[in-house]
């Protein structure tokens, strides 16, 4: 065996194992004690933090410390700040932006503090006097020297504490948000050319004659006479005899009975009337006495016999008549009933599913001359009643359902058949209108169908939102209804949940998480923070104020509002069959993603420029554009022109950055070349009229009759607007600057009947910056009364976020957007921002737009998007090489900081600072 020949090694190993085993229980106990103490300390700290209450401001010049606890106490502001009540804050606020005034005020305050008798003055003089006292030189102090020795040789200490590893794991999360894409479509009812309507009426008989001598006779609406016996005169002959009439009626619908009365009994010479074998009436001459009274008698007993008809079954009536000589005898019972309870069927039916629309169109006057709507079968008399041949019940117009046509058609309820025929145009074809683009007339397209139908939106899976009726005439039919569908898509907003753990396996116990459980406070609302940061950035760039003094171009701070919008509308002329739809957003134009990139690039540029020195010419020019307090007159107009082209260069792939171009004095020339190339395309594609509507050259036309640039335009360049051109006059904001680029792409896709503001609106709708307010009828057809020109109304803003914030904030402040006819597109007053509960502002749609346009990091691309080089180095939008500039590549902030500190001797600078600090003495 190996150990047999190495006894010394064996004894040494045994000794080590013995010591180790002996020490192990003590080490375990010691570790447990450390862990227990760590956890107890952690619990104590958590209890202290959990029980801590922030001081509460009572609003009366005092503050409550430890509110709601046994240690609650009150301290006045004057106790904490003895001179808080002195001075005037307005004196300080007026110094904002005034460097010279600020310095002068500081010197005055210093002079005052040197002499005044106040708590503030005493504190100031204490500090100053202490600073001017002599101080001992502690450079050779033993404690100080020990500290220097530790810092001079820090490696052993660093090694003792360096064996710690921090591990962070990230889990991708997300929630789904619907990004709406509202589409409107016109819905009109179908109108056939020929139809018939049938009135089906079925009347049940009240009762039926069964047997005997008698009969039925109608006595008017809801009235029926029943006879017992034969009506006549002297049809019997006898010396003295009794003749009997008996009749049976079957009661079918007793529920319809209103009353039954024995009204007439006629006899010669004596009579008795029976019901069901029971005597119910004896004639006025009695029954006993002489048979021959030589007269005929007509009694009117008006005796109620309703109870005889209150049930179904046979009802038997009998009349005995005693006759001497010649005579007769019979009686009449008048029954009154509710006709409506006998009508079992009473309905109109059209021959087709849309025939009702034809009848309504004819009565509303929409159809062409010669249209027919008439009754082809009406059995009623002039009074409006007829006797049903089956039930023998008299039916009148008030018992029947009205004809399915307007009363103006003159068709009675008793009509049994209606004929309708007509040619009806719901689209006002042939009507004309005039606007700034000229006079236009409607003609039906060859396809006969609109470009977008509600059925097409439904087939795409768009969700129905609401329907708004525009035209309702006398018939009550809605001839034009505008339906709103949401054709948007669900977008998942990515989130990242991080879990960090620190492990230390070095010689120092309990440095990591082995003794205590670390509960890290980490916000999982990264995406919400992004949205709020975007809000703050764009708020600074989207401020507008009204003039306080127009002549001096001074702005009124109290009028300032953020995210102000502008009302816009577009027209649709005619109905479903029309060539003019200026509200449709064409496909294939520049997209939302590029505009979001432009917004974020501008925000980054704004943040960078505003950090420049205040005396920088670049910052001064930018502030002229940025701040409405100083923007005025020609200065604004000149900057806006440069901005319209310069900012667009930020998202280009072959242009230099704005800073490079500005420094080289090439901004104007680049703008000119860009506009010239666009102008040439417009002229060659659309001709002279289109080109001169958008561009001018030195105040004159930029294109000749062939659509070519004029010599003046070739040599001197072109400009948006000016002269007879009108498009360029509207480019006053970043939104307009980007919109004009989209207009150029869309012109070919929209009919020339539309006006320039409608082109702009079409572009803005695609950029999701507009809130739909609804539709209203602008002009009605004078012939039909239907809407000829309807308009969609919007409030449009400078970014999707501005629109979303208006939608979220205004309800909190009791504000709205007005009506389609009278939109209110104001922004939010700056002074009202502190009233907003931002926890109730939902920015999910903005986050979804960022995610949809790939501007929001996900777990898969966070490393590539959120690294120093991408954010601050070569990937930054401020890198000139991104735009083709022949300059060195942009370094990230770490490389730049290391480069700046490369020649810095930190120990020497530190020592010099120490010497200066310890050498301070009386000055």
């Amino acid at each position: 065996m190996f150990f047999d020949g190495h006894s010394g090694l064996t004894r040494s190993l045994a000794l080590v194992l013995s010591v180790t085993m002996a020490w192990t229980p003590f080490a375990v106990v010691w570790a447990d004690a450390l862990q227990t103490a760590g956890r107890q300390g952690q619990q104590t700290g958590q209890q202290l933090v959990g029980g801590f209450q922030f001081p509460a401001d009572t609003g009366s010049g005092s503050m409550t410390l430890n509110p709601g606890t046994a240690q609650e106490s009150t301290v006045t502001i004057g106790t904490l700040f003895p001179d808080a009540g002195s001075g005037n804050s307005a004196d300080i606020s007026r110094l904002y932006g005034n460097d010279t005034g600020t310095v002068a005020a500081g010197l005055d305050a210093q002079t005052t503090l040197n002499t005044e008798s106040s708590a503030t003055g005493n504190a100031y003089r204490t500090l100053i006097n202490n600073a001017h006292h002599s101080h001992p030189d502690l450079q050779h102090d033993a404690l100080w020297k020990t500290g220097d020795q530790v810092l001079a040789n820090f490696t052993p200490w660093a090694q003792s504490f360096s064996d710690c590893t921090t591990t962070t794991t990230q889990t991708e999360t997300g929630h789904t948000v619907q990004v709406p894409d509202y589409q409107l479509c016109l819905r009109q009812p179908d109108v056939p050319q020929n139809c018939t309507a049938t009135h089906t009426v079925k009347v049940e008989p009240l009762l039926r004659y069964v047997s005997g001598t008698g009969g039925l006779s109608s006595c008017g609406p809801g009235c029926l006479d029943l006879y017992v016996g034969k009506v006549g005169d002297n049809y019997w002959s006898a010396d003295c005899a009794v003749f009997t009439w008996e009749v049976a009626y079957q009661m079918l619908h007793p529920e319809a009975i209103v009353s039954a009365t024995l009204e007439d009994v006629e006899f010669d010479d004596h009579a008795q009337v029976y019901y069901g074998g029971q005597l119910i009436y004896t004639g006025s001459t009695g029954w006993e006495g002489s048979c021959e009274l030589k007269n005929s008698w007509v009694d009117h007993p008006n005796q109620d016999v309703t109870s005889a008809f209150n049930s179904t079954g046979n009802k038997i009536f009998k009349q005995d008549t005693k006759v001497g000589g010649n005579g007769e005898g019979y009686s009449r019972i008048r029954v009154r009933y509710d006709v409506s309870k006998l009508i079992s069927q009473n309905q109109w039916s059209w021959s087709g599913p849309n025939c009702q629309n034809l009848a309504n169109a004819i009565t509303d006057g929409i159809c062409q001359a010669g249209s027919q709507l008439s009754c082809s079968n009406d059995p009623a008399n002039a009074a409006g009643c007829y006797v049903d041949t089956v039930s023998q019940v008299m039916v009148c117009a008030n018992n029947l359902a009205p004809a399915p046509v307007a009363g103006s058609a003159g068709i009675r309820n008793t009509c049994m058949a209606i004929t309708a025929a007509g040619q009806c145009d719901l689209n006002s074809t042939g009507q004309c209108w005039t606007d700034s683009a000229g006079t236009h007339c409607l003609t039906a397209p060859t396809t006969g169908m609109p470009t977008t139908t509600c059925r097409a939106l439904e087939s795409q899976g768009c969700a129905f939102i609401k329907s708004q009726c525009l035209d309702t005439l006398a018939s009550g039919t809605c001839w034009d209804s505008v339906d709103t569908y949401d054709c948007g898509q669900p977008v998942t907003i990515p989130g990242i949940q991080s879990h960090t753990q620190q492990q230390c396996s070095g010689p120092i116990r309990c440095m990591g998480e082995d003794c205590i459980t670390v509960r890290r406070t980490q916000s999982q609302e990264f995406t919400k923070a992004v949205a709020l940061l975007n809000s703050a950035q764009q708020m600074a760039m989207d401020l507008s104020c009204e003039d306080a003094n127009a002549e001096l171009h001074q702005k009124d701070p109290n009028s300032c509002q953020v995210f102000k919008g502008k009302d816009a509308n577009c027209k649709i002329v005619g109905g479903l069959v029309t060539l003019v739809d200026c509200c449709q957003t064409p496909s294939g134009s520049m997209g939302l993603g590029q505009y979001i990139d432009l917004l974020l690039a501008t925000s980054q540029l704004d943040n960078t420029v505003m950090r420049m020195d205040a005396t920088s010419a670049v910052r001064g020019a930018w502030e002229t554009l940025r701040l409405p307090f100083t923007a005025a007159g020609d200065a604004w107009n000149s900057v806006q022109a440069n901005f319209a082209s310069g900012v667009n260069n930020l998202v280009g792939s072959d242009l230099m950055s704005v800073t490079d171009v500005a420094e080289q004095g090439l901004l104007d020339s680049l703008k000119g070349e860009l506009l010239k190339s666009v102008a040439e395309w417009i002229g060659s594609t659309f001709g002279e009229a289109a080109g001169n509507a958008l561009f001018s050259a030195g105040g004159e036309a930029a294109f000749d009759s062939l659509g070519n640039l004029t010599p003046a335009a070739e040599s001197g360049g072109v400009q948006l607007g000016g002269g007879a051109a009108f498009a360029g006059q509207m480019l006053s904001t970043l939104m307009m600057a980007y919109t004009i680029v989209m207009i150029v792409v869309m012109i070919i896709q929209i009919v020339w009947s539309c006006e320039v503001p409608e082109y702009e609106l079409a572009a803005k709708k695609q950029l999701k910056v507009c809130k739909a307010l609804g539709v209203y009828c602008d002009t009605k057809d004078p012939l039909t009364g239907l809407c000829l020109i309807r308009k969609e109304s919007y409030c449009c803003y400078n970014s999707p976020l501005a629109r979303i914030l208006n939608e979220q904030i205004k309800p909190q402040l009791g504000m709205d957007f007005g009506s389609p006819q009278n939109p209110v597109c104001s922004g939010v007053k700056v002074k009202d921002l502190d009233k907003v509960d931002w926890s109730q502002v939902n920015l999910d749609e903005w986050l979804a737009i960022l995610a949809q346009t790939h501007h929001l990091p996900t777990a898969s691309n966070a490393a590539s998007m959120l690294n120093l080089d991408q954010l601050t180095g070569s990937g930054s939008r401020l890198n000139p090489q991104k735009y083709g500039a022949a300059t060195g590549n942009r370094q990230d902030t770490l490389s730049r900081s290391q480069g700046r500190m490369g020649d810095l001797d930190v120990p020497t600078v530190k020592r010099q600072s120490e010497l200066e600090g310890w050498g301070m003495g009386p000055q």
Side-chain angles (χ1 to χ4, degrees), residues 10 58 90 144 293 318 613 647 665 759 770 806:
T10 303
T58 63
W144 188 272
L293 299 179
K318 182 182 75 171
D613 186 86
V647 164
Y759 298 148
C770 297
N806 269 275

Side-chain angles (χ1 to χ4, degrees), residues 235-409:
Y235 44 72
W236 286 320
S237 177
D239 291 336
C240 185
V242 176
F243 296 93
T244 299
W245 293 121
E246 187 175 274
V247 63
Y249 296 101
Q250 182 183 12
M251 190 64 205
L252 300 175
H253 293 281
E255 71 277 4
I257 293 295
V258 175
S259 65
T261 305
L262 179 62
E263 288 193 349
D264 297 331
V265 178
E266 186 169 343
F267 54 90
D268 182 4
D269 295 284
H270 302 276
Q272 286 184 326
V273 180
Y274 295 84
Y275 165 65
Q278 300 293 323
L279 178 67
I280 60 174
Y281 182 73
T282 299
S284 57
T285 61
W287 186 251
E288 303 297 334
S290 173
C291 287
E292 176 59 54
L293 299 179
K294 300 185 182 299
N295 197 3
S296 293
W297 308 89
V298 180
D299 286 359
H300 303 289
N302 292 324
Q303 183 171 333
D304 184 16
V305 292
T306 304
S307 60
F309 298 91
N310 281 341
S311 60
T312 59
N314 290 342
K315 310 298 179 182
I316 301 175
F317 288 90
K318 182 182 75 171
Q319 180 173 331
D320 289 341
T321 304
K322 184 187 293 185
V323 177
N326 295 327
E328 71 284 338
Y330 59 91
S331 57
R332 178 177 60 82
I333 301 172
R334 175 153 291 182
V335 177
R336 297 192 180 276
Y337 56 92
D338 185 350
V339 178
S340 64
K341 295 182 178 180
L342 298 177
I343 299 177
S344 59
Q345 192 171 0
N346 177 24
Q347 63 185 25
W348 288 91
S349 59
W350 285 101
S351 57
N354 298 306
C355 288
Q356 183 66 63
N357 297 334
L358 174 60
N360 292 343
I362 294 174
T363 57
D364 281 344
I366 298 175
C367 302
Q368 298 176 3
S371 300
Q372 178 186 2
L373 185 65
S374 60
C375 177
S376 57
N377 178 19
D378 189 345
N381 56 25
C385 299
Y386 71 95
V387 176
D388 182 72
T389 56
V390 176
S391 64
Q392 294 301 307
V393 173
M394 179 172 286
V395 181
C396 297
N398 64 330
N399 303 129
L400 300 178
V405 297
S408 58

Side-chain angles (χ1 to χ4, degrees), residues 695-731:
F695 302 97
S696 65
E700 302 296 333
F703 295 88
D704 58 22
S705 59
L706 299 178
N708 299 321
L709 289 175
T710 62
E714 287 285 2
S715 59
V718 298
Q719 68 181 78
L720 278 169
F726 51 86
Q729 303 296 331
M730 293 174 243
L731 307 181

Side-chain angles (χ1 to χ4, degrees), residues 184-189 454 466-471 478-484 576 775 790:
L184 305 185
C185 61
L186 178 67
R187 191 183 297 276
Q188 289 182 328
C454 297
K466 65 178 181 179
S467 182
Q468 177 186 355
C469 183
L470 290 182
D471 290 314
C478 182
W479 296 111
D480 289 320
S481 61
V482 177
D483 292 357
T484 302
L576 286 175
V775 184
R790 65 184 183 276

